[in-house]
Amino acid sequence: MLNFLRQAFRSAMLFMLEMGSGAALWGIVALLSLGAIERNVFGTSNFGNADDLVAYSSAILFSFGLALGLARGVHVSIDILDKWFQGRLRGAFRLMIRILGILSGFILSYGAVALCTQSYERKRIYYGSIAVDAWIIQLILVIGCLAFLYEFVFGKEEKDAEFSINN
């Protein structure tokens, strides 16, 4: 039962990450296109902070992509370095890579949470044609970073065998 719930949570999380990645990508395209049309056709600039929104959308796309790539097994792998090691040394190398990945996930998550709480406390708002609270957009980034960390720590069981020292 617990395994079923964990698998259902993971499937729902990956589905939401895929939808969020698509929305972030189309958001980037829409903001850049509307900003260019507005500047070049109408000679105005109502999308005042569109650059910030595009930057956050890119960061969201990156964090969601990290988690999705790790979950699907299509991430950039360490095969080039991995083939140089044999036996227990290969297992130790894989364990070191896993530890570095988990530390990276913690650092990314901590930075995203700190950014979000700082914007919330300062009541930072992006003004343009639509006023948006900054912490809402940054909270989506936090979710992407935590999803990456979750996938790295609690991913598929095959990863446990892949990263064992006796491999």
Side-chain angles (χ1 to χ4, degrees), residues 67-87:
L68 282 170
L70 195 60
R72 303 277 187 239
V74 295
H75 54 87
V76 176
S77 64
I78 53 168
D79 291 338
I80 295 171
L81 298 174
D82 189 55
K83 66 182 177 182
W84 290 353
F85 301 108
Q86 299 297 324

Side-chain angles (χ1 to χ4, degrees), residues 133-151:
D133 288 331
W135 69 270
I136 294 172
I137 297 167
Q138 294 163 351
L139 183 63
I140 300 169
L141 180 61
V142 170
I143 292 168
C145 292
L146 291 176
F148 167 70
L149 185 61
Y150 174 84
E151 189 58 41

Side-chain angles (χ1 to χ4, degrees), residues 1 21 32 39 45 65 76 81 86 106 109 125 127 151 155:
M1 179 70 173
S21 296
L32 290 176
R39 277 190 311 274
S45 181
V76 176
L81 298 174
Q86 299 297 324
F106 274 118
S109 299
I125 296 176
Y127 291 104
E151 189 58 41

Side-chain angles (χ1 to χ4, degrees), residues 77-150:
S77 64
I78 53 168
D79 291 338
I80 295 171
L81 298 174
D82 189 55
K83 66 182 177 182
W84 290 353
F85 301 108
Q86 299 297 324
R88 293 180 65 88
L89 194 56
R90 176 180 283 175
F93 175 72
R94 290 177 176 175
L95 183 62
M96 181 189 71
I97 294 299
R98 186 169 193 169
I99 290 170
L100 287 174
I102 291 170
L103 285 174
S104 298
F106 274 118
I107 291 169
L108 286 172
S109 299
Y110 177 77
V113 167
L115 182 69
C116 184
T117 55
Q118 185 182 50
S119 292
Y120 180 77
E121 290 169 355
R122 293 182 180 177
K123 299 186 183 344
R124 188 169 173 208
I125 296 176
Y126 291 121
Y127 291 104
S129 53
I130 301 173
V132 179
D133 288 331
W135 69 270
I136 294 172
I137 297 167
Q138 294 163 351
L139 183 63
I140 300 169
L141 180 61
V142 170
I143 292 168
C145 292
L146 291 176
F148 167 70
L149 185 61
Y150 174 84

